[in-house]
Amino acid sequence: MTIANRVTILFVCVALLLVFSLTLFSAYREYHVALNSTVDAIVATERAHPELQLAIYRRDQQELLPILEEFLEIPAVTAAMVRDGLQDLLAESDSSQSSALKPPFGVIRSGSSTADTSLSAFNALLEPIDIGLWSAWFDSGAQIYVALPVFTAVNPGQQGLQSYDFFIAPLDPAAKSSLRIIGYLQLQVSPDLLLASGRSTVRMSLLGGLLLTLIATVAVVLITRHITGDLSKLAKLAEGVVSGDSDQPVEFHAKGEIGDIAAVLNSVIGGLTSLKRETVAGQKLLSMKVDERTSQLTERDEELTRAAEEISETKTRLERLAYYDNLTELPNRRLFTEQLDLLLDINQRNGHTLALLFLNIDNFKRINDSLGHAAGDQVLVEIARRLLLSVRESDAVGHYVETEHRIDVSRLGGDEFTVVLNQMEAVESATTVAKRLLNELEKPLNIGEQELVISPSIGIATAPQDSVSAEGLLKLAGIAMHHAKESVRDQYLFYSEEMDASGVARLSLEADLRKAVYRNELTLHYQPQVNTVSGAVVGAEALLRWEHPERGSIPPFQFIPLAEQIGVMADLGDWVLEEACRQLKAFDAMDLMLPRVAINISAFQFKTDFVQKLSQ
């Protein structure tokens, strides 16, 4: 099988795997988006019917049934029931007309507090199942049940309550702190209808992915055949050079490395052809003059030697270009990863310990911006020189296994360097080397007339404790380096699992923050501004707070910078403006005159439409 066919088959397999993975993810996302939208619509419908409290109190089935019909208008909702505070059924409306048994309400609410909205699923045998996509696909007859309490500001235990009591109670300032549960809503949601809502999107994702795979496969076939065609020509040309059959240069239209190699081989063919011709001429003259023949043979021998040296120099130059950094002459990322895999295999086989130090210069971009890229290159060369000197001095803490190339110090790119400590006697030895590197790199260096002091950060990962692969070890050392860069106290850190956990926690917090506005998790606290002479309240400052359903109250200094980084600060700012205006009107309606409210504005809100939005 040719290289082109192997590359094509590999690409098609990877592309199909990616397409099916993305399709599965699309189905999962559409299903959960539909489920969350249904739950949000249920909660919104319940809040839009304050008369539901009165109907439950009166136990009036005639008033409850029209309200339940509105819940059945929500897509995927097939049945709705109302229960009183003791969980007794008051009214029921079922659009599916199904006679299947429903789980007891106590089982549906199992594990939830009395004031929480519960979400549970059961199969046809009334056994609890997961509400995820897998259960919706494979559990026939499964149903999802949403149960939420109905709150009221009125004490339902009082006698003689009238409609007026229920509608006037929310106006009491203490109403929010004294809500009571007057009943429960129980909604039945069909997973099949949830799946049907996203089926067209999933189908389009699959078809689009397959179409892109087909187009990309055609492109890969054309490109690989083009590349391997030139490689085949080079192989035949090299074989002809070795056997001596090629005596005429071959024309190549390829560019880049293949073109350079073809040019070198053609130059060798030309040189060998010339040498052959001269050798034939020399053989004709051998019988005429012995001295001339000896001189000619000597000259030809020197020419052959020079040709061999040129070939060797060309090979060495190509190897340097492929495996070494042009600026610092240190091993590059390609050579580093190849040799590190070899070292890890040797260490694992012999039971030895290896440490990888990942080094980065803090604020290196400022040097390029301030002094120019030429000065930045000089800094990198000096860093490489100091690292080499320091690592040579650290041979006492480890023993280097000689391979074809040494990678004890490498440059991966930019201002990123690595140091490999092989066959260490103890992991703590890496601390000694890290301190030596920091002491050496923090010494002032002169670039022209400018004296600079650099500040490096180092992340350390060890094998086999942290990882046994080059890619994994480099990733973990990079994570440790970034934590060291963010640390105020430490310039070098060893990798630990908590570092990954902090990254995952931040991603989770970002996802929750994007939904905080729509989930009504934001609140405004009003800090009064008091005239200390008269004691009168002359204004207030609106302070934004985030009440996370799982983490509790999150202070602004944690989520405001995060909101600015992920681009949702404008939405938060708009919500604060609208909520403050709404609260002022509410205060006016209560005859509470508040002269002014101060609102904090983020720099990210100052856009072209800010003044117009503020006026609105």
Side-chain angles (χ1 to χ4, degrees):
M1 185 179 293
T2 63
I3 296 177
N5 291 336
R6 292 178 181 177
V7 171
T8 302
I9 292 174
L10 178 61
F11 173 80
V12 170
C13 293
V14 173
L16 290 177
L17 178 61
L18 182 60
V19 167
F20 288 124
S21 299
L22 291 177
T23 302
L24 182 60
F25 172 76
S26 176
Y28 174 85
R29 180 180 178 276
E30 290 297 325
Y31 173 79
H32 282 275
V33 167
L35 178 58
N36 291 335
S37 299
T38 301
V39 174
D40 292 342
I42 290 172
V43 174
T45 304
E46 186 272 333
R47 294 180 178 176
H49 288 281
E51 69 274 14
L52 179 61
Q53 306 169 22
L54 180 61
I56 294 175
Y57 174 77
R58 291 177 174 176
R59 307 177 68 88
D60 190 339
Q61 188 177 25
Q62 297 302 320
E63 292 186 14
L64 291 172
L65 287 177
I67 299 176
L68 294 181
E69 292 297 329
E70 291 193 28
F71 284 99
L72 295 181
E73 295 176 1
I74 299 174
V77 175
T78 59
M81 288 174 279
V82 177
R83 298 177 181 272
D84 60 14
L86 297 178
Q87 303 181 2
D88 293 333
L89 182 64
L90 298 180
E92 178 180 7
S93 181
D94 190 344
S95 62
S96 65
Q97 302 299 322
S98 173
S99 60
L101 296 178
K102 296 180 177 60
F105 188 71
V107 175
I108 294 175
R109 294 283 299 177
S110 177
S112 301
S113 65
T114 56
D116 288 341
T117 298
S118 66
L119 192 64
S120 56
F122 298 85
N123 59 18
L125 300 178
L126 301 185
E127 297 172 340
I129 59 173
D130 184 60
I131 63 173
L133 178 64
W134 186 266
S135 298
W137 264 346
F138 297 103
D139 282 330
S140 177
Q143 296 293 330
I144 298 175
Y145 293 91
V146 181
L148 65 158
V150 179
F151 293 99
T152 181
V154 178
N155 182 2
Q158 294 180 6
Q159 298 295 328
L161 293 175
Q162 302 297 324
S163 303
Y164 175 80
D165 298 320
F166 281 89
F167 288 103
I168 200 65
L171 301 179
D172 188 352
K176 291 185 178 180
S177 61
S178 61
L179 294 176
R180 297 170 176 84
I181 297 176
I182 195 171
Y184 293 91
L185 278 172
Q186 176 183 334
L187 290 305
Q188 180 177 308
V189 180
S190 172
D192 293 337
L193 297 178
L194 294 176
L195 288 173
S197 64
R199 191 165 295 149
S200 60
T201 302
V202 174
R203 187 183 301 111
M204 292 300 295
S205 299
L206 177 60
L207 294 178
L210 293 176
L211 179 60
L212 289 177
T213 300
L214 177 61
I215 296 173
T217 301
V218 174
V220 169
V221 170
L222 296 177
I223 293 173
T224 52
R225 288 186 177 178
H226 176 73
I227 295 175
T228 55
D230 291 333
L231 290 176
S232 300
K233 291 182 180 179
L234 280 178
K236 293 180 180 178
L237 180 59
E239 183 179 356
V241 171
V242 174
S243 62
D245 297 335
S246 298
D247 56 358
Q248 295 296 329
V250 179
E251 184 178 356
F252 277 83
H253 300 288
K255 298 181 180 179
E257 291 83 354
I258 296 179
D260 295 340
I261 296 174
V264 172
L265 291 176
N266 280 329
S267 66
V268 173
I269 292 174
L272 292 176
T273 303
S274 176
L275 288 174
K276 286 182 180 180
R277 293 173 181 172
E278 292 179 2
T279 301
V280 172
Q283 289 176 349
K284 292 180 181 179
L285 295 175
L286 279 175
S287 60
M288 299 174 61
K289 294 182 180 180
V290 175
D291 293 338
E292 291 179 1
R293 180 181 60 186
T294 303
S295 175
Q296 290 173 356
L297 290 175
T298 303
E299 291 177 358
R300 291 183 183 92
D301 183 65
E302 291 177 353
E303 291 176 356
L304 287 172
T305 302
R306 286 195 297 270
E309 290 177 351
E310 289 179 0
I311 294 175
S312 178
E313 290 176 358
T314 301
K315 178 182 177 182
T316 303
R317 185 166 60 253
L318 291 175
E319 183 178 323
R320 297 291 299 183
L321 290 174
Y323 288 105
Y324 289 88
D325 178 45
N326 291 333
L327 178 64
T328 62
E329 297 186 356
L330 294 176
N332 60 15
R333 181 183 290 270
R334 179 180 178 183
L335 178 58
F336 167 78
T337 53
E338 291 179 2
Q339 293 298 309
L340 183 57
D341 280 326
L342 176 60
L343 287 177
L344 289 171
D345 291 339
I346 296 174
N347 277 270
Q348 188 174 7
R349 185 165 57 249
N350 298 330
H352 294 150
T353 300
L354 179 145
L356 173 62
L357 281 67
F358 192 104
L359 185 144
N360 180 268
I361 307 303
D362 299 338
N363 299 318
F364 180 76
K365 185 176 182 296
R366 291 196 302 175
I367 298 178
N368 286 333
D369 295 341
S370 303
L371 303 180
H373 288 276
D377 291 344
Q378 295 181 44
V379 172
L380 294 175
V381 172
E382 178 62 18
I383 291 173
R385 185 187 70 82
R386 294 186 182 186
L387 288 176
L388 286 172
L389 291 176
S390 300
V391 172
R392 294 293 183 266
E393 296 174 359
S394 68
D395 286 340
V397 302
H399 308 282
Y400 201 89
V401 176
E402 288 295 339
T403 57
E404 185 178 356
H405 303 279
R406 292 193 61 165
I407 56 166
D408 41 356
V409 178
S410 304
R411 182 192 177 202
L412 303 187
D415 58 332
E416 296 179 346
F417 295 85
T418 59
V419 174
V420 176
L421 302 178
N422 193 40
Q423 293 189 7
M424 294 192 305
E425 297 177 358
V427 176
E428 293 75 14
S429 301
T431 302
T432 304
V433 179
K435 291 180 179 178
R436 182 182 293 120
L437 295 179
L438 291 173
N439 292 335
E440 187 66 26
L441 293 178
E442 288 178 345
K443 293 179 181 179
L445 54 91
N446 294 318
I447 303 299
E449 299 180 355
Q450 183 71 38
E451 182 180 83
L452 299 177
V453 177
I454 62 175
S455 174
S457 298
I458 300 177
I460 306 173
T462 60
Q465 291 84 350
D466 296 328
S467 178
V468 294
S469 68
E471 181 180 356
L473 204 61
L474 187 61
K475 173 186 174 183
L476 300 182
I479 292 174
M481 182 273 293
H482 285 292
H483 278 267
K485 188 180 291 290
E486 295 175 358
S487 174
V488 178
R489 179 183 59 187
D490 301 309
Q491 285 185 277
Y492 70 90
L493 287 174
F494 282 85
Y495 168 79
S496 64
E497 294 182 355
E498 290 77 9
M499 295 178 179
D500 274 341
S502 63
V504 173
R506 176 184 172 90
L507 291 176
S508 176
L509 194 63
E510 288 181 5
D512 290 343
L513 182 56
R514 295 180 187 276
K515 305 173 183 177
V517 174
Y518 307 105
R519 293 179 175 176
N520 296 320
E521 296 175 359
L522 301 178
T523 58
L524 284 183
H525 293 189
Y526 296 90
Q527 178 172 285
Q529 298 171 338
V530 180
N531 187 323
T532 55
V533 177
S534 64
V537 175
V538 297
E541 179 181 2
L543 304 177
L544 180 61
R545 294 293 184 269
W546 180 15
E547 296 296 332
H548 194 281
E550 297 177 357
R551 306 185 186 191
S553 179
I554 300 179
F557 72 84
Q558 288 186 2
F559 70 86
I560 292 299
L562 183 61
E564 294 178 342
Q565 293 175 10
I566 65 176
V568 300
M569 193 60 234
D571 294 337
L572 266 63
D574 292 346
W575 184 89
V576 170
L577 283 172
E578 294 176 4
E579 177 62 17
C581 292
R582 187 200 63 77
Q583 186 61 57
L584 275 176
K585 291 199 67 175
F587 284 154
D588 289 344
M590 299 167 60
D591 293 331
L592 297 177
M593 301 304 296
L594 190 62
R596 62 174 178 266
V597 172
I599 300 175
N600 295 315
I601 301 298
S602 169
F604 288 85
Q605 294 179 247
F606 287 109
K607 298 180 180 179
T608 55
D609 61 342
F610 176 73
V611 174
Q612 179 183 0
K613 188 176 297 183
L614 184 61
S615 300
Q616 293 175 352

